Structure formats: C-alpha cells, structure tokens
Amino acid sequence: MSIPKPYKRIWRPMKGYQGSETIFHGIVFEEKTPNLDYLKNNKFISQKEIESLIISAKLLIRDINDLFNYIEPSNENQLVYSHRLYELLLRIATEFESNCKGILRDNGYVKTKGNLNIIDYFNLNKVCRLHDYKIQFFRWESDRYFKPFNEWKNENYFPLPWYSSYNNVKHNRFEKFKEANLENVINALGGLLCIIHAQIGENVSEIGFNGIPIMQNHEKEVNTEYFKIKPPSFPEEEQYEFYWDDIKNGENPVQTYSF
C-alpha cells in the first residue's frame, strides 16, 4: 500500500509518475496522471523558505567553483586546507543544519531539553534514506561518487566525518585547522545538496545551473551543469500515490511524519 498524501517537506518517488504528458505514437493525450505540483505548494513546504535555501546553495556552488580555479578538485588535493576552505565548511554545514531543523520543525519534532544537534538530524536518515544518496561533481578530476551519509547505513548512529570536522574547526580552529580540507568541504556540500533533494526532489536542479534551469524531472537521477545526484530507491509501499489536484484543497492535504 502506497502513501496517499505527502509528508510535510519530505520528498518520495511518485508511484505512476511518467512526466507531464502521455505520448503514444506521436499523439499527446491529456489524461489524469500523477504530477509533482505538490513540491511547489506552500502547504507542502514554504516556497519563501525553500527559495532562500536554494539561493544560499547557489552562492556556495559559485564560491566553491571560484576556489577550484586555484585548487584543482582531485583526490590528490583532498587534504589541502586553507582559511577559504574553513570559511566554506562553516557556511555549508550551517546551511545543512538549517535544512535539517526545518524538516524536523515542520513535522512537529520536539526536543524536550537542549538545542537540536546531529543526533536529532540522524532521525531524518530513516525517512529520507540519506545513507543511499550518491553525488558526483563534474569538476572533480575523476568520476568519483561521494556518499556524504555513508556512515548512517546502519540503524545505530555513527558520526559523519565531515560534520565532526566542522564542529572541530568551529570550536578549536588552531589545533584542528587541517580538518578544514577539500575532502570535508566537498562532502559537506554533497550532504547539503542531498538534504535539499530529500525535500524537493528533482527541483534541486535549480541550484545547479548558471542561468535558466533545465528541469530534469527524473526520479532516479538528477543532472545539472555542476553535479549529478542519484537518490535512493523506495519500495512501492513507501512511495507516494495521489493526485495533488484532488487533495490540495482538503482540510489536511499533507501529513506529518512521526519521528
């Protein structure tokens, strides 16, 4: 049995989705088919908030590509560290935290004591299958795929190296400065882009184009000018199955995920 309405701010593959048109022998038929309109609806996610998150991510993409003019993005250089990389690591990880907090907040997640931290963000792994995400950056010299959440592939929590390094350099830059390196920055950026995809699916491609975005609308792969994301697969019973036009005006067209 599939999921009859979307979880707040949580993307899932859409069962039966085949694009916006049905084509047979060159003839376009207008028929009722599942679409992705819910991703652009305020009831699912605040469009103002996601616009701000997308703008921030686009600026980070721009800045890291500028940096690549001075540091060749390659496996040989992954341990290179600098003040510029330190700055980028702080900015990227902060954006990652903002996205995680937004998803948890919108789904009614409440922590009784203290501020949200990485243990709370780990709760998103199960619902979003973050550990299965893979991302490739086209300027990286090899065809390497990064898996920013690979340490979360088991049920028990394990630290993410790039996020641990972010905290280390934030609180003790003098002794931990070498952890502000290219490998941690690129994994952090991958983690940010994947958590955005986990909210808005294929619309994450808006971040990866210099100018007018070309929407891919491909549930198994998203390609842009700068990166390629391979999202996780979900069994049929965990996919969405609804017609947004039929439910969007109802009293509760979206539901919250119970963490």
Side-chain angles (χ1 to χ4, degrees):
M1 185 175 180
S2 302
I3 302 172
K5 55 184 178 180
Y7 294 118
K8 186 78 172 175
R9 202 166 171 164
I10 294 172
W11 168 88
R12 288 286 178 87
M14 176 70 72
K15 189 176 180 181
Y17 173 71
Q18 297 178 345
S20 58
E21 297 176 330
T22 300
I23 302 177
F24 182 72
H25 293 311
I27 302 173
V28 178
F29 293 91
E30 294 184 1
E31 61 178 36
K32 189 176 182 180
T33 57
N35 60 55
L36 306 180
D37 290 351
Y38 75 98
L39 295 172
K40 291 289 189 179
N41 193 287
N42 281 305
K43 294 178 180 178
F44 172 74
I45 188 171
S46 165
Q47 297 302 298
K48 285 290 185 182
E49 183 173 355
I50 199 63
E51 180 184 4
S52 175
L53 295 172
I54 286 174
I55 289 171
S56 295
K58 285 178 74 75
L59 289 173
L60 287 165
I61 289 280
R62 183 201 67 184
D63 290 349
I64 202 165
N65 274 288
D66 286 345
L67 181 70
F68 288 165
N69 293 325
Y70 305 94
I71 302 174
E72 188 65 22
S74 66
N75 294 334
E76 288 77 11
N77 288 335
Q78 62 187 357
L79 297 183
V80 170
Y81 60 96
S82 71
H83 282 278
R84 183 66 168 140
L85 285 165
Y86 164 76
E87 175 199 351
L88 284 167
L89 183 58
L90 295 187
R91 287 171 58 196
I92 294 167
T94 301
E95 284 299 312
F96 168 74
E97 292 174 330
S98 294
N99 279 267
C100 292
K101 289 174 182 176
I103 301 171
L104 292 171
R105 178 200 66 216
D106 285 4
N107 281 280
Y109 182 89
V110 176
K111 187 173 184 176
T112 56
K113 187 177 180 180
N115 297 321
L116 296 181
N117 57 39
I118 192 63
I119 305 299
D120 300 291
Y121 310 152
F122 176 64
N123 288 300
L124 297 173
N125 184 54
K126 182 178 179 181
V127 62
C128 300
R129 293 180 176 260
L130 296 175
H131 61 279
D132 281 338
Y133 269 95
K134 296 194 298 184
I135 184 166
Q136 183 181 44
F137 294 95
F138 294 130
R139 286 199 64 178
W140 203 266
E141 69 154 12
S142 66
D143 294 332
R144 177 179 175 182
Y145 274 94
F146 294 85
K147 298 188 71 174
F149 303 100
N150 188 55
E151 287 73 19
W152 288 357
K153 60 187 175 184
N154 299 310
E155 291 186 4
N156 296 326
Y157 169 78
F158 284 92
L160 302 173
W162 58 268
Y163 190 83
S164 295
S165 290
Y166 151 67
N167 276 301
N168 288 341
V169 299
K170 180 173 68 173
H171 296 295
N172 190 358
R173 185 182 68 186
F174 182 72
E175 293 186 3
K176 302 294 184 179
F177 190 43
K178 289 184 179 180
E179 293 185 41
N181 58 50
L182 182 59
E183 181 180 28
N184 284 325
V185 168
I186 203 71
N187 271 294
L189 182 61
L192 172 62
L193 294 172
C194 289
I195 199 67
I196 294 176
H197 182 282
Q199 298 168 81
I200 61 172
E202 297 88 305
N203 290 345
V204 73
S205 64
E206 293 182 29
I207 297 170
F209 289 96
N210 183 20
I212 299 174
I214 302 171
M215 304 304 295
Q216 299 299 314
N217 288 334
H218 193 314
E219 292 190 331
K220 294 183 179 180
E221 186 174 279
V222 175
N223 281 281
T224 74
E225 289 182 39
Y226 303 118
F227 60 84
K228 177 195 295 185
I229 292 178
K230 289 194 174 183
S233 299
F234 287 82
E236 285 196 6
E237 64 269 18
E238 294 183 18
Q239 296 179 18
Y240 288 151
E241 186 176 20
F242 55 79
Y243 296 108
W244 181 245
D245 287 342
D246 290 349
I247 67 173
K248 66 181 181 181
N249 295 319
E251 185 177 353
N252 296 303
V254 299
Q255 59 183 325
T256 56
Y257 185 85
S258 180
F259 288 100

